[in-house]
């Protein structure tokens, strides 16, 4: 889990005291420094929330103060790609799968995606939902809210669109380490919600659930979190619940082959997936009681990196998180400094035929289970142009001897086709449902 890195969190600008007279920022203007803090996210527009912030109900002075806080950050709904893929990690997330109701088909699915898209666009702009808004987020700005929609394998049979089902959406193979709960796996439809404020995220979750109406019902829901923006003095790679820096080698939008690895090309088959991506979703339980019994040295050997700063063990006492890993370097005893079964070694793209995926997970903690141990771990979400060239080869190799596998358990799984973004005046999935 640690080697394929996650998009970094960022540090927001210091809020301007209410007694100050801040300059009014131009609409849509974003500083280069702040934009770089989002790990180069594409399709992300940070800027003035304007009249939309706080449902346009706050006094002008309050709106000015809001523009200098994390609540003002706004992601764009319309674009070539859906939001929630390359955006910076958010503090709160909800993953929800729906099944279409009995008797619901293509017509009902199209109406549902139209409603969902309208709601997502409004809420991401910091506006109230169009129908019976709950007022949960009335006092907040957009808070980097993103809402992302995808289709599961079963969706196409339910809607009579089997001929439009992508080959890349074929079910994932079985892995020997899987302990999957079918009730919490897959689904006709999938929605990913993320925001930097818990109430904003919950508000979007309730709106999406209410919009489903009689057309679809919740199959499963999972709730996660990450470090809050501003919790560190500078942007840092996230840590997971094992205390490890969870991500160093994520593909970056600045890399020349990023789009080829993560997004479906324009000349795709089927054509409706152009600009889209495939999301693999796994609920990975961390066996924290067992993990925390290990010594620091043993924990670092399992991962292949120092726990303190993420530097590869092959760098000795020096190096940083971004220092190149020397897989052949040995210590004074002749043993490899990065163990042969270390997680960081096994997951490297150059050890897997170049396989790469964009990881964008959330941590979760659902209390203590019946055995008295933490029900906690990682809501693993990874994005790729083709799962057979991204997730599958890496997971197969992990399945054959990853040192970390002793301390984790894959408990649920899903694969979803996430179409490209909606153009102005369109809804997500329109090319599929009306094509």
């Amino acid at each position: 889990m640690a080697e394929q890195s996650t998009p970094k969190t960022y540090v927001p600008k210091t809020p301007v005291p209410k007694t100050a007279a801040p300059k009014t920022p131009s609409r849509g203007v974003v500083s280069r420094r702040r934009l770089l803090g989002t790990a180069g996210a594409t399709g992300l527009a940070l800027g003035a929330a304007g009249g939309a912030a706080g449902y346009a109900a706050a006094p002008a002075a309050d709106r000015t103060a809001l523009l200098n806080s994390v609540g003002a950050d706004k992601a764009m709904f319309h674009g070539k790609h859906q939001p929630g893929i390359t955006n910076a990690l958010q503090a709160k997330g909800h993953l929800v799968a729906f099944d279409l109701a009995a008797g619901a088909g293509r017509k009902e699915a199209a109406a549902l995606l139209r409603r969902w898209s309208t709601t997502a666009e409004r809420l991401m702009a910091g506006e109230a939902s169009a129908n019976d808004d709950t007022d949960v987020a009335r006092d907040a700005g957009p808070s980097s809210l993103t809402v992302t929609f995808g289709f599961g394998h079963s969706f196409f049979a339910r809607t009579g669109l089997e001929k439009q089902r992508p080959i890349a959406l074929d079910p994932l193979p079985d892995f020997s380490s899987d302990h999957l709960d079918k009730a919490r796996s897959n689904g006709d439809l999938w929605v990913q919600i993320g925001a930097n404020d818990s109430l904003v995220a919950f508000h979007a979750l309730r709106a999406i659930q209410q919009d489903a109406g009689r057309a679809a019902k919740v199959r499963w829901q999972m709730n996660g979190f990450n470090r809050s923006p501003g919790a560190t003095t500078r942007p840092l790679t996230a840590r997971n619940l094992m205390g490890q820096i969870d991500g160093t080698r994520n593909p970056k939008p600045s890399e020349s082959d990023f789009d080829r690895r993560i997004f479906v090309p324009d000349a795709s088959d089927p054509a409706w997936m152009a600009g889209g991506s495939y999301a693999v979703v796994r609920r990975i339980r961390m066996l924290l009681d067992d993990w925390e019994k290990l010594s620091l040295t043993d924990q670092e050997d399992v991962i292949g990196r120092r726990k303190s700063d993420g530097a590869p063990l092959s760098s000795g006492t020096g190096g940083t998180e971004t220092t190149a890993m020397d897989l052949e370097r040995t210590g004074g005893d002749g043993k490899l400094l990065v163990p042969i079964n270390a997680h960081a070694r096994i997951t490297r793209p150059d050890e897997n035929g170049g396989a790469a995926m964009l990881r964008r997970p959330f941590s979760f903690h659902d209390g203590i289970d019946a055995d008295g141990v933490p029900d906690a771990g990682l809501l693993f979400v990874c994005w790729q142009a083709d799962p057979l060239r991204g997730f599958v080869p890496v997971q197969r190799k992990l399945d054959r001897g990853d040192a970390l596998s002793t301390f984790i358990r894959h408990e649920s799984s899903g694969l979803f086709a996430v179409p490209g973004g909606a153009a102005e005046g369109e809804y997500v999935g329109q090319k599929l449902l009306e094509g």
Side-chain angles (χ1 to χ4, degrees):
M1 295 182 292
E3 188 65 6
Q4 297 278 340
S5 79
T6 60
K8 295 183 179 181
T9 53
Y10 68 96
V11 180
K13 294 180 180 178
T14 303
V16 177
K18 291 185 177 181
T19 55
K23 295 180 179 180
T24 303
S26 299
R27 182 178 300 273
V29 175
V30 189
S31 73
R32 176 177 176 81
R33 180 179 181 184
R34 187 161 192 172
L35 182 60
L36 292 175
T38 68
T42 60
L44 176 66
L46 303 180
Y55 300 172
D62 290 345
R63 291 203 301 272
T64 300
L66 179 63
L67 293 178
N68 295 281
S69 74
V70 68
D73 292 347
K74 181 171 66 173
M76 298 300 294
F77 175 76
H78 295 292
K80 182 176 182 179
H81 311 300
Q82 285 196 60
I85 302 176
T86 58
N87 302 73
L89 288 177
Q90 294 137 308
K92 184 65 178 179
H94 300 290
L95 308 180
V96 196
F98 292 81
D99 285 335
L100 290 173
R106 181 174 177 176
K107 178 181 178 181
E108 290 76 16
L112 174 57
L113 266 296
R114 189 180 294 110
R115 290 196 300 274
W116 275 353
S117 295
T118 298
T119 293
E121 180 180 8
R122 291 179 64 91
L123 297 186
M124 285 175 55
E127 300 173 5
S129 176
N131 299 310
D132 298 323
D133 191 271
T134 62
D135 286 343
V136 172
R138 173 172 288 276
D139 304 314
S143 302
S144 298
L145 174 68
T146 60
V147 186
T148 317
F149 305 104
F151 304 112
H153 185 274
S154 57
F155 176 83
F156 296 85
R158 299 291 303 277
T159 54
L161 292 166
E162 293 96 328
K163 292 183 179 180
Q164 290 296 319
R165 184 168 56 211
I167 295 175
L169 198 58
D170 285 351
L172 297 173
D174 295 329
F175 301 103
S176 62
S177 58
D178 285 351
H179 297 78
L180 303 183
D181 178 357
K182 292 183 179 180
R184 292 196 293 181
S185 298
N186 301 311
D188 293 341
L189 294 156
W190 176 68
V191 184
Q192 174 191 255
I193 295 168
N196 282 331
D197 179 79
S198 295
L199 286 180
V200 169
F202 177 81
H203 178 240
L205 174 67
R206 289 296 299 143
I208 290 296
Q209 290 173 338
Q210 290 171 342
D211 278 351
R214 296 181 179 180
K217 60 180 180 180
V218 173
R219 178 180 177 87
W220 53 259
Q221 176 185 321
M222 300 175 189
N223 311 309
F225 58 90
N226 284 305
R227 178 176 281 155
S228 296
T232 58
T233 57
R234 59 186 175 83
L236 295 172
T237 307
R239 287 187 184 270
N240 61 34
L241 299 189
M242 287 179 163
Q244 298 288 153
I245 289 181
D246 195 346
T248 302
R249 293 179 58 88
N250 231 15
K252 297 176 176 59
S254 59
E255 296 171 353
S256 60
D257 62 349
F258 179 84
D259 281 1
R260 177 180 63 81
R261 291 182 172 192
I262 307 305
F263 294 112
V264 177
D266 291 341
S268 65
D269 183 18
W272 66 267
M273 271 298 292
S277 188
Y278 291 90
V280 174
V281 182
R282 310 274 281 186
R283 186 183 195 270
I284 303 177
R285 176 85 166 266
M286 293 178 174
L287 308 181
L288 295 178
D289 284 353
D290 294 335
W291 172 257
E292 291 163 1
K293 292 175 183 176
L294 296 180
S295 67
L296 175 61
T297 298
D298 288 342
Q299 289 182 354
E300 292 179 337
D301 282 344
V302 166
I303 302 300
R305 291 183 176 273
R306 288 202 299 259
K307 192 172 184 178
S308 60
D309 58 10
L313 298 183
S314 58
S315 63
T317 57
T320 66
E321 181 186 349
T322 58
T323 299
M325 183 175 290
D326 184 350
L327 298 180
E328 304 304 320
R329 187 176 180 184
T330 58
D333 57 2
K335 294 182 178 180
L336 291 168
L337 291 178
V338 179
I340 197 69
N341 63 346
H343 185 74
R345 175 190 287 270
I346 292 176
T347 58
R348 284 171 58 96
D350 54 7
E351 293 290 299
N352 294 278
M357 49 195 156
L358 179 67
R359 298 176 66 259
R360 198 173 181 278
F362 293 93
S363 293
F364 74 87
H365 179 217
D366 292 335
I368 305 299
D369 68 13
D371 296 324
V373 299
D375 183 7
L378 196 71
L379 299 181
F380 176 91
V381 182
C382 73
W383 301 89
Q384 57 263 283
D386 184 351
L388 290 179
R389 293 186 289 111
F391 172 78
V392 172
V394 176
Q395 187 59 34
R396 277 177 171 160
K397 193 166 185 180
L398 290 171
D399 214 32
R400 294 196 294 266
D402 174 29
L404 185 60
S405 63
T406 304
F407 304 97
I408 61 175
R409 186 166 62 224
H410 291 244
E411 296 186 334
S412 67
S413 178
L415 171 61
F416 302 95
V418 176
E424 292 281 351
E426 295 182 350
Y427 64 87
V428 173
Q430 185 168 337
K431 291 182 176 64
L432 168 65
L433 292 164
E434 297 186 14

